[in-house]
Amino acid sequence: MTGIDVVGPQLAVLAAAAVVLLIDALMPQQRRVLPYIALVGLVVSALWTTSWVARDDYKTWFDGTLALDQYSVFFYFLFAGITATVVLASIDWVNREGRGQGEYYALVLTTCSGLMFLSAARDLITIFLALELSSIPQYILAGWGKDQRSSEAGLKYLLLGAVASSLLLYGMALLYGVTGTTLLVDIAGSIQADGESHRAVLVLAMCLLIAGFGFKMAVVPFQMWVPDVYQGAPTPVAAFLSVGSKAAAFAVITRVFFEALGARFLSDDWSMIFAVLAAVSMTLGNVMAIVQTDIKRMLGYSSIAQAGTFMIGLAAISVSGHEFTLGASGVLLFVAAYAFTNLGAFVAVIAISQKIGSDQIKDYAGMWQRSPFLTVALAFCLVSLTGIPPTVGFWAKIYIFNAGIRADLAWLVIIGVLNSVISGYYYLSVARQMFLGESSDGAKIPTSPSIGMALGVATIGVLVFGIVPMPLISAAHNAVEIFAQH
Amino acid sequence: MLFLESVASPPSIGEEWLWAILCAPLFAWALIVLYGRKLGVVSGYLTILGVGVACAISFAVLFNVIDADGGIATHSHEWFSAGPLVVNLGVRIDGLTAIMLVVVTTVSLLVQVYSIGYMEGDPGYGRYFAHMALFTTSMLGLVLADNLFQLFIFWELVGLSSYLLIGFWYHKPSAAAAAKKAFIVTRIGDLGLLAAILLVWTRAGTFDIAAVQDWATSGDAKGYIVTLFALGIFAGAAGKSAQFPLHVWLPDAMEGPTPVSALIHAATMVAAGVYLVARFFPVFEASSDARDVVAWIGAITALIAATIAIVQTDFKRVLAYSTISQLGYMMLALGSFGYVAAIFHLFTHAFFKALLFLGSGSVNHSTNTFDMRKMGGLRKYMPITFWTFLIGSLSLAGIFPLAGFWSKDEILLDAWRHNHALWAVGATVAFMTAFYMFRAIFLTFYGEYKGGEPVDHHDEDSHFHGDPKHPHESSWVMTGPLILLSIPAIAAGWFAYHETFGNFINGALPAVREEGSSFEFGIAISSTLIALAGIGAAYAIYYRRWVTSESLRATFAPFALLFENKYYLDRLYEDFLVKTVLQRGWNALLQANDRYVVDGIVNATGRLGRELSTRLRVVQTGQVQSYGLAIGAGVIIIVVAVYAANPL
Amino acid sequence: MQLSLLIFIPAVAALVVMVLPQRYEQQAKWIALVASLAILGLSIQMFFAFDLDQGGFQFVVRREWVDIGSFNLQYFLGVDGLSMPLLVLTTFLTLASVLVSFSITMRPRAYFACLLLLSSSVIGVFCALDFLLFFLFWELELFPMFLLIAVWGSGRKEYSATKFVLYTIAGSAFMLVGILVLAFNQDTFDIEKLGQANFQGTLIPLTWVFLLLFIGFAVKLPIVPLHTWLPDAHSDAPTAVSVMLAGVLLKMGGYGIIRMCVTIMPKQADDYSIWFAVIGSVSVLYGAFITLRQTDVKRLIAYSSVSHMGLVLLGIGALGKVGLVGATYQMLAHGVITGLLFVMVGLMYERTHTREISRLGGLARQMPLITTGMVFAGFASLGLPALGGFIAEITVFLGTFQRYEWAVLMSIFGVVLSAGYVLWMLQRVVFGPVRHEWDDVSDQRHWWEHSVVVVLAALVVVLGVYPALMMDMIGPAVDSIMLRVGA
Amino acid sequence: MDGFGVTAAFWVLAALTLVSAGGVMASRNLLHAVLFLIVTFIGIAGFFVLLSADFIAMAQVIIYVGAIAVLVLFAVLLTPRAGRDNGETKMAAPAWLLAVCLAAVFIFVIQDTNWHVLSTSPDLSAFDLGEALLGTWVLPFEIASVLLTAALVGSIMLARTPQEEAEDALA
Amino acid sequence: MNVGIEHFLVVGAILFAMGLGVALSKRNAIGVLMGVELMLNAVNLTLITFSRFSVSDRPVSGQTFVVFVITVAAAEAAVALALAVSVYRNRDTVDVDRLDLLKS
């Protein structure tokens, strides 16, 4: 029973998925309710998670393959929220596309459960499966659209994903081979015992893991699929990809590297790797975003840059356990902030492009006249992405740069701040289009309630946590306390 | 010297009275500014009232100081302070101040009265009197100030009111330009004064005039510092008193209403420079270099201005240039230890020059022009004006026994004592002065009337009444002041003849040099003869026409050209220095730098980014395999890099 | 308590204005007016309640806000003699800019919301005592400003708005690094503590930190050659925004340099004071020379601002009491005077719809009152005695002369040049022959315009004739800084 | 592990696997490639037997050869007009270069490491495996089932023809 | 001469590399998929090798891993082929180098 209880949140989500499928199959007329069932499932799962927080009995289950700790709880909430927003944002699109609605929501929910497992897994096998559980439905969703671009995006995503996960697998295999176990804690122990002698193979495994997860995190040089897939995939799915899988990847990589590969002789190496990757990702992502004309592509590149910024947190490992967690909590904070912000941006894009049927930035001209609400919300999210108060993005930026400085990574932080200037440039140019451009037709853009709600949630989150960041920061901080013990 | 034994007691007059002098016109100004629209004509009387009160008190002060044998009294209060910087507001009276007060208030009063008539019906009537009141206030403040800081403040305010009054008829482009020119040129001089203030505060740590005098004379200040300070002071003075090379603004300043020219640009403000140098006379005593500079600049100014005055055809400009040259005279005197003489000349000059200007105004009022070639024979139409003007001219020319004679004579004496070359210049100038004044008189008041300037009724800005065809004497409000002013123009010299005046003025100084007698027959007779010669020459050329001016001009063509073009100084300044070098050259360069270099770099950075971005796009070929390659290559590179970074 | 109110009244008012229903949108201005009056009254009350004898920070508010291990941020407000006058200045100009915007009809709700947000953030900058809080407010001002220029501006408004934002972001990017390094070394963001700390073994050399912070502030000041955003922003911004920009936003730079660079890192400030003097005097002259070439009234005033703010840097460079007091006073004076100038130009622009000097002329006949205002403001800005600018300028000169005579001797030429451009502008714009183009314009005026002009003019005069009012407050604050500098 | 039989078996299997893999690489015809792939799978299964993982070997044969390969064949047949050709893209040369480098790195690492090896094979029966699957790793086991379902559902949706979609929309 | 762990690992490594080469060089999507399958098999081989040789208290975990890999591979293959088919429907081709609507 306790086992069931432990995986309750995921079960709730999956159950919702099953119900959705059944209703879709048995009573097609009732399709309108599907998304709301999905939402119910997500709410239940969130409540379930809350009950843990209330009970406060954190431990690991299934012989240590699944961890039930503040860390996973943090991400459970996050993923539930993300998925809910995505579901809300999808409704209009799915109704219009009219292709297997039940299946769509079911897959979204499945992905969500996969993400949850991913954030809680403490065992290589479980991680691998959870990763696939969150990826394969996403491959499908990316190809869900009927047009060529969508299926092309799906296929590209899948092929590259397969290659990347093979690399990941090989890395895991090596890790297993050296340590003789797949449990992260035992791996850590065995490395502590006689890791030094196996440094070569460990480094190789480490790099392969970085490649595998880096693909999901979308950091240079594993990022190149991002713009294509974002542009081709249905916008709600792109939103899901841009926050869901990225967040999960960061969740898992943080856990794996801090728990299993935390040994000094490794962490010195990988913190440097992360630092370099961070610098490259930020710069490349931002520079390439400058000339983009398609807003989804632009957001894709910007998400690469953002990933680079998260990585400062991963790179920010210094000696004392305290600062150690500072970097990790920076990652979590940034992930959450980014989730709110980017979702908001994507939802706004969904609403707009549904109406004007284009993702070209130049077609956003004069939005300010056509839909003040959407314009302001989108502009707001862009401001948050730039890291200007009063938005949550500001806090994330400050916090993670602070971590970087304290980890003696001044050079990286300087690169970071310069990049925030570049990003300011292209985010502003979008805002400029919307506020100043002259729109060809002044037709108002209505906002459907679901979209409005999704957007509202995201923007409120951005604003509220921008003004009272304390809860979010402390949550992130407590979540990573578990690493302090190692 | 008699008064040195008798200890000079500080004047007993109460401080509040001194402040009252300052405040009376100030209130008039404030009232007009606040209620100017409603007041209408009353504003004029208001100003007269204010200035009158000030005038009355000033005389009281004068006598009080005389009773006190030219003692000194200062009252000082802290205004604001920031650490070591302590700035006071205070008043100081002594002989010098008292004389200046009297001069300023008296002339001002008479000019205001005159203005009632002159400005009658002008749309800016109220504004005019407001400015006048403001000017009087600031001039009095300048005179009363007991420290350099405060003095500088009123110094600038004087400049402001001068600007406003020159540009009074702002719709005339020439007036607007002249006003701007006056302010800027004087401000250039003020730079020196400002620098001097900075210097003295950092070196002496005080602004107080007495303290500064002590500091300069005590000798614990380095010689060159004192010289620099003195030169700074003189630069300021040169600006206000229109000394070469900063004299160019004064002739243009005649664009203002004539009473303004009389009050500000003849009698009082332009004398402020002389006053300033006199104020710090001990400093100049302490530095002979500075003194020589003053003397020679004065001499040059006097000469240049006189030469230009000879060829002017504009009635007022003749007077303007003569003013410049007389100011040069005063400077010359100061430079040659003629402290008393300078003040004395300032005193007399104030009266007869004001008289002359008001006379010219009266002429203009009936002929609607200042061009002497359009006048002539006015003697019979406007007798009062003629006679008073004649008195003024004689006095200026320095004919015994008029006021000008005594003061000019004393200056020449000091010059002779100090340096014969200076005396020679002075004498030449004296000759020219007599010459051009009587040239003006003969052209204006003798011969046949040439009809003046016909009235242009389309110009809504002209407020000329009457008919230039038939000139007439002006009304009593205008002639009255003329008559009143001619009295000091005649008599002002006498009571200065014996030494009381000198002692009295000297009382303002911390220490007094031995001075010889202030009169020598040799100098007196020679200068009189020179003046008479000048008059005679004018009589020969412009009345009898034994020699025609044309032929003379032809003979001395190059000189005439030089004079008529004012030595090309205006061209040099405006066309060459300002327009060409500064605007078209230097500033254009800087602006180009701003636009193309500074902004250029910024925009170039942006373009570079876009360029880079477009270049990088080609990497994104859309080929899955290339993406896969990137992944694989990434792994290998990272692994190898790590192994290389810290080998196994 | 009062400080929190000062910050939150405008912020809340902004929210209220934003949610105002469509049909009441013309009422937005009244709400804005009430809010700005409220903060003005409050700040004046504080100004007189400020205890001159007891130095240090007053009206302190201190709350833990974010406190996570090594990332602890307090909501820590307070004012001393340095910030109090600037605070009053801000509230005054807020009122002024609200009043001059009374005739705004395009999207008034958003407009006034942005304006109030702007003023709230500037107030925050001036009274924040936690470095991170300071930074927050510093950045908070960006987006409203961007919108105000970009939406309600004129001309190449997009370009100018973007330029403004990018310059500021770039500057504050450097600043952020500096802040974090300092905070890391002392393990606190508390400005008061940092102000007494002595730093050893900072992550990057303290000199670099100093330069990072300095660049951040200097962009705002602005100094040559980081100034080119200013003329563009000014010439394209609406009047009220120009008033705020020139009046208070530039002052944030000077305030930052004094409060952060000089107070926290006096040693470095001492080493680099010569560069302050150089840059300051160069800015003075460079700005003034270029001003002489301007043909657009607003650009002209903008460049003159560059020149005048150079004096602030010069005064700081003296690192002496007189110099710092002068610098602060110059900030106040320039704030009011330039504000007034922009108001006058704005009023003129509303009537003639041009700012091209070559097209204007002879307006004195049509609009005597506006002319009077312009002449007054013009003379104030060229440093006429008995008006605010003079006291400030001469105090700066006196304060700096001891240390850097050459710099001052260079800078005083700015005095002549300023006379040059101001009078030239007046001559060309308001004087000269009447142009029949402008026969029908007149300065029949609304009470609000009238009151703005009167209030600001009065302020200019007060600053000019009663300097003790401010100096007695600034002096003690500067003293404490001087203790730190050890001069 | 030694003994001639084993050694011989290893080399034979290695040759078989790698050569057939090379066949997959080389063959221009997709169908041939599939056949080579199947041979490779079988070779791998042989290795499994050699490594005394009999159950896995069986699973390998059943699933890969039985399922996946067939799946691939279906795909080939379902896309007739795409042609049977299995040529390389422009990216071929760099791809091979990359492969070689990767192999080099791997082999280097493998050789460099001194593996702690067991002398005797741990005898693992299918029973142990089952126990592990339903014990420790029951969670991944369940996840796998969900995963398969999801994949199934999704694939069906993607593979449906427009007509099916249309009538589905009507319903 | 006897075969040790390295031999098996080397075979796995080579196979993996070949798989990658195939995956990155083939034009036909299905060819690419085969490459991926090869890589997975290589991984499986490696895992089994380790579970046979390496010192561990749960040698069975290696085999378990393989079971899951096989399962996932199957699922992946299924989805891949479905996608390939849907692409084919849109474009009449499964050549990945002609799938470049989305780029730069």
Side-chain angles (χ1 to χ4, degrees), chain D residues 57-89:
Chain D
M58 199 167 62
Q60 166 88 3
V61 173
I62 291 169
I63 299 179
Y64 269 107
V65 183
I68 298 180
V70 176
L71 214 54
V72 174
L73 275 175
F74 271 123
V76 175
L77 300 174
L78 278 172
T79 59
R81 286 191 300 289
R84 297 273 167 274
D85 116 88
N86 186 28
E88 275 82 11
T89 61

Side-chain angles (χ1 to χ4, degrees), chain A residues 156 160 167 199-200 203-204 207-208 211 215 221-222 224-225 227-228 269 273 284 287-288 290-292 297 301 425, chain B residues 609-610 612-614 616-617 619-624 626-628 630-632 634-635 638-639 642-643 646-648:
Chain A
K156 279 184 175 178
L160 288 171
L167 288 168
R199 183 164 165 279
V203 167
L204 180 57
C207 297
L208 289 167
F215 177 81
F222 318 112
M224 296 180 81
W225 58 277
D228 293 8
D269 286 343
I273 295 177
L284 207 65
V287 169
M288 290 187 74
I290 291 176
V291 288
Q292 294 306 323
R297 275 193 94 80
Y301 281 114
Y425 174 73
Chain B
R610 301 191 67 84
L612 195 62
S613 189
T614 8
L616 281 176
R617 289 177 71 164
V619 178
Q620 203 78 23
T621 53
Q623 297 288 336
V624 183
S626 65
Y627 302 173
I631 296 177
V635 175
I638 294 173
V639 176
V642 173
Y643 288 158
N646 34 11
L648 305 160

Side-chain angles (χ1 to χ4, degrees), chain D residues 129-150:
Chain D
L129 188 56
E131 200 177 38
L133 282 177
L134 296 176
T136 310
W137 287 285
V138 61
L139 198 58
F141 192 76
E142 299 304 331
I143 294 180
S145 59
V146 177
L147 177 60
L148 285 169
T149 327

